[in-house]
Amino acid sequence: MNSEKSEALYRRACRVIPGGISSNVRANWSPLPLFYTRGKGSRVWDADGNEYIDYVLGRGPLLLGHSPANVIQAVQIQLEQGLMFAGQTELEILVAEKMCELVPCVEMARFGSSGSESVHAALRLARAATGRKTVIRFEGHYHGWFGNIAWNFAPPLDQAGPRECTNLIPSSLGQLPEEGAHLLVLPWNDLPLLENVFAIRGKEIAAVITEPIMCNWGAIRPLPGFLEGMRRLCSEHGALLIFDEVITGFRVALGGAQQLFGVTPDLATFAKAMAGGMCVSALGGKADVMRLFGELKTVHAGTYNANPPAMAGALAALNLLSENDGAILKKAHATAMALMQELEEIAERTFLPLMIRGVPPVFHVSFLPKDAKPVVDYRSAQQTDFALTRQFWMELQNHGVRVTPEGLWFVSTAHREQDVDQTLAAVVEVIAILEKERRNKS
Ligand SMILES: Cc1ncc(COP(=O)(O)O)c(C=O)c1O
């Protein structure tokens, strides 16, 4: 793979942009963070002209593929009408109405530009609504990079503490201990532990926030009864249940993971798939809670909130996803399912411990020892052979298939059978390379 131009751009970028990247999440790419020039449908091209079948899809927003025509057209129309007004547009009503129609918990919605912001709004609202301080979050879940929630995403296991009494570990230098002071961090998928915590501290808990599928550590599903138990405990103790559906929203079902699992939270955050690649996020939920923002004592603000071109993109994306009873989303699910099944078959044929798990159209491909215990939370996910998973990713990139370095694959409505066939051919070649290396080593 030729990366001369990307290398030159990277050197230039490093002079004026710290690390040469605008989000630390992009640092993890080898041999260097590549530069991209164009994307269309399921494909993306880098600065050196290399073409990839893209399963990164902007880390999720491009559920409709790169440059979806209807989103672009809707945005263009709005660009001609005006970029922003610091005032309302009908577009935001239409997007909120659409969300109310599709998502079980949404009776009202407020908009922002990033998932982190909407999570921030959710936490503030939950504390304002309950008059309580403590928020329960789960180890290994990602809810954005803000100081009051970015804790224990990837704690080193030797510092994480006992399961029932985890140590608070910030994600970044510069976070103050006070910012995490009102967080309780628990391992996920452990209902008895959550029950215990509620039994002891139930009166002080404002909210429980969870990814309903643990996408950011390998697309781990909730164990049967876990989300239901969480719902029950929150209701019994007067705490709010917040689903962070920034990845799952409008993707695993039109109504998100809450619809898929039949568990309705009080509040939910959305971004990524809701706007076809435009910068939009949303907080939605029960009207009696959301109304607090309208009473103005609880502040939610932002110059770019409900930005008209972004709202036009969101409306176009949601309309397209939901027309004909979600026909194109069903097609993306079928494509992802076919891909997952074929990958499973490859996994059965190789002696390498290839593991596929997830909920279409987002799934995780990694290497896990054959005798590994079930992966149900952050700690058990650490059994992953990260070095081999990373090598698999790098070889796939060399073979024109782009997935996230940690092994998460997103499938779009633009992926076709030909993409799947080409991807599987690349996977077979890459597995053969890795098998040969393993044999040579032993
Ligand atoms: C579940 C979840 N919540 C929140 C966020 C933060 O969203 P953003 O990067 O738009 O701030 C992310 C980002 O990946 C996410 O996956």
Side-chain angles (χ1 to χ4, degrees):
M1 192 187 96
N2 177 19
S3 56
E4 246 172 67
K5 288 194 176 142
S6 270
E7 281 166 36
L9 287 167
Y10 184 53
R11 278 195 298 275
R12 227 175 101 198
C14 284
R15 281 183 223 126
V16 286
I17 301 171
I21 46 176
S22 293
S23 164
N24 279 21
V25 177
R26 296 178 199 157
N28 210 6
W29 300 74
S30 296
L32 75 160
L34 293 176
F35 285 72
Y36 296 88
T37 51
R38 195 161 72 85
K40 189 75 198 152
S42 61
R43 308 276 165 150
V44 70
W45 288 265
D46 70 19
D48 291 275
N50 299 305
E51 177 177 335
Y52 307 88
I53 304 174
D54 193 12
Y55 296 99
V56 177
L57 298 174
R59 283 194 171 271
L62 303 176
L63 177 57
L64 301 170
H66 286 269
S67 314
N70 74 318
V71 173
I72 289 178
Q73 197 189 8
V75 172
Q76 268 168 350
I77 291 170
Q78 185 54 43
L79 290 176
E80 299 291 329
Q81 309 278 341
L83 292 179
M84 57 197 304
F85 310 112
Q88 284 50 250
T89 64
E90 189 184 358
L91 282 168
E92 59 201 88
I93 306 173
L94 292 167
V95 178
E97 284 172 350
K98 195 73 192 167
M99 290 182 69
C100 293
E101 175 195 319
L102 296 177
V103 185
C105 86
V106 178
E107 293 169 359
M108 293 184 123
R110 273 279 183 108
F111 301 103
S113 305
S114 73
S116 299
E117 275 176 73
S118 288
V119 166
H120 192 62
L123 298 178
R124 174 169 296 177
L125 188 61
R127 286 179 169 133
T130 57
R132 301 172 180 180
K133 292 181 182 167
T134 305
V135 168
I136 294 179
R137 59 151 293 150
F138 296 97
E139 214 170 43
H141 286 214
Y142 184 67
H143 301 296
W145 68 287
F146 289 5
N148 61 351
I149 194 68
W151 296 73
N152 295 66
F153 169 61
L157 284 185
D158 58 353
Q159 296 168 31
R163 287 176 64 80
E164 49 296 330
C165 179
T166 54
N167 296 325
L168 267 175
I169 302 184
S171 293
S172 170
L173 289 179
Q175 279 178 267
L176 302 174
E178 303 87 287
E179 289 179 293
H182 297 291
L183 288 179
L184 275 176
V185 181
L186 301 180
W188 200 53
N189 258 336
D190 188 338
L191 188 57
L193 193 52
L194 189 64
E195 278 168 342
N196 258 347
V197 170
F198 264 102
I200 299 164
R201 302 183 61 172
K203 282 201 178 73
E204 59 187 89
I205 295 165
V208 177
I209 184 166
T210 186
E211 288 185 67
I213 298 168
M214 194 171 161
C215 289
N216 283 297
W217 269 105
I220 304 168
R221 295 176 75 109
L223 290 174
F226 182 61
L227 295 179
E228 291 82 350
M230 204 186 274
R231 173 67 279 178
R232 173 180 51 77
L233 287 167
C234 285
S235 301
E236 281 172 8
H237 293 269
L240 298 187
L241 178 59
I242 306 170
F243 277 6
D244 183 344
E245 298 234 39
V246 164
I247 291 185
T248 52
F250 309 104
R251 183 189 313 277
V252 297
L254 278 176
Q258 54 191 278
Q259 182 182 39
L260 185 71
F261 297 124
V263 176
T264 306
D266 300 291
L267 296 173
T269 52
F270 301 89
K272 305 218 180 206
M274 76 173 285
M278 297 301 288
C279 303
V280 176
S281 67
L283 169 63
K286 298 275 181 292
D288 56 344
V289 183
M290 292 294 296
R291 272 205 190 94
L292 287 182
F293 281 144
E295 289 166 12
L296 307 183
K297 284 189 201 146
T298 311
V299 174
H300 169 243
T303 303
Y304 296 100
N305 288 0
N307 175 258
M311 284 288 108
L315 186 62
L318 293 181
N319 280 341
L320 190 65
L321 281 170
S322 57
E323 74 187 17
N324 298 328
D325 195 24
I328 61 163
L329 186 61
K330 285 181 192 151
K331 211 175 120 284
H333 280 216
T335 310
M337 214 47 192
L339 190 50
M340 287 170 78
Q341 275 162 3
E342 296 281 349
L343 286 167
E344 295 277 6
E345 282 180 25
I346 294 173
E348 273 169 32
R349 292 200 299 271
T350 174
F351 67 85
L352 297 172
L354 188 62
M355 165 66 69
I356 296 97
R357 72 173 168 253
V359 180
V362 54
F363 60 89
H364 191 252
V365 183
S366 61
F367 293 86
L368 202 69
K370 289 232 152 80
D371 58 354
K373 294 195 201 95
V375 172
V376 293
D377 59 12
Y378 169 75
R379 295 188 190 204
S380 48
Q382 303 314 303
Q383 298 170 104
T384 307
D385 184 337
F386 292 110
L388 192 55
T389 301
R390 197 169 165 80
Q391 204 186 343
F392 179 64
W393 157 69
M394 280 200 283
E395 287 295 348
L396 275 181
Q397 181 170 270
N398 292 337
H399 284 73
V401 176
R402 185 173 181 249
V403 305
T404 69
E406 71 276 13
L408 201 60
W409 297 43
F410 292 96
V411 177
S412 78
T413 60
H415 283 81
R416 300 277 173 268
E417 215 177 301
Q418 187 206 346
D419 299 309
V420 172
D421 292 346
Q422 204 177 321
T423 302
L424 292 167
V427 170
V428 168
E429 279 180 33
V430 168
I431 291 285
I433 293 171
L434 300 184
E435 282 177 340
K436 195 167 160 203
E437 261 187 38
R438 270 286 153 112
R439 279 202 199 94
N440 288 346
K441 266 191 205 157
S442 57

